[in-house]
Amino acid sequence: MKALRTLRGPLVGAALVAALSLSACGTADTAAVVNGEKISENEAQIAAQQINEAFKPQTPLTTRDAVSSLIAAPAINDVATRLGKGESDSSARSAIPQIQDPSQATLDLVKANFALQKLTDPEKQQVLDELKKAEVSVNPRYGVYDKNGFQLEAPQTNWLKAPATQG
């Protein structure tokens, strides 16, 4: 029994290090961080599920798609609000009445979608300019954020890194 107790400490430590290293963003539930604001995997999953339930798109929104959209949503919503074209949480809620308790991430995506439709091309350029300046860190399982293409590039097949060997 003593051997099990002795081994448990290093295993717990190794598991913690592995969990933190799996996420480029510092915690196991972090999908991305944009200008210091965390997007959790859970909120991206829920947003994708709720958007799919509400709008029944021909091609369902994946968690990865939701992460990508949640990276852009703050810039879209900020520019739209500054220009008097922003949407409110209540207007987003009214657009998805079939979702009883939409998450804030879902509301942010709905607001961004509606706001983007109202923006002119020069106004959309303001959004792109904000996205270029944004500090974006993405969990490698979702890919790499391309600041020039404003999208997530496909993740590497094996995004887990082997530990460096000493020798």
Side-chain angles (χ1 to χ4, degrees), residues 83-161:
L83 297 170
K85 297 180 178 184
E87 295 289 331
S88 67
D89 284 355
S90 61
S91 69
R93 247 186 215 91
S94 68
I96 52 174
Q98 63 277 47
I99 306 299
Q100 289 286 38
D101 188 21
S103 71
Q104 186 60 52
T106 300
L107 295 175
D108 290 343
L109 290 182
V110 172
K111 291 187 309 186
N113 183 57
F114 291 149
L116 194 58
Q117 293 175 29
K118 295 179 191 177
L119 297 179
T120 64
D121 286 342
E123 294 166 341
K124 288 177 185 174
Q125 186 60 50
Q126 291 180 41
V127 172
L128 297 178
D129 292 343
E130 281 201 22
L131 287 170
K132 277 186 181 179
K133 292 185 279 184
E135 291 183 34
V136 179
S137 170
V138 179
N139 183 321
R141 82 174 51 169
Y142 296 106
V144 175
Y145 183 68
D146 174 10
K147 280 193 172 203
N148 295 317
F150 308 104
Q151 64 185 2
L152 286 178
E153 293 180 356
Q156 295 178 359
T157 305
N158 185 7
W159 55 271
L160 293 174
K161 304 259 190 258

Side-chain angles (χ1 to χ4, degrees), residues 12-59:
V12 170
L16 180 60
V17 169
L20 291 175
S21 66
L22 290 179
S23 169
C25 304
T27 65
D29 185 47
T30 302
V33 177
V34 181
N35 294 329
E37 296 294 319
K38 175 185 165 184
I39 300 167
S40 75
E41 289 185 353
N42 186 52
E43 66 187 333
Q45 290 167 350
I46 290 169
Q49 174 192 17
Q50 290 179 340
I51 294 293
N52 289 333
E53 184 179 332
F55 296 104
K56 309 228 184 301
Q58 189 172 7
T59 303

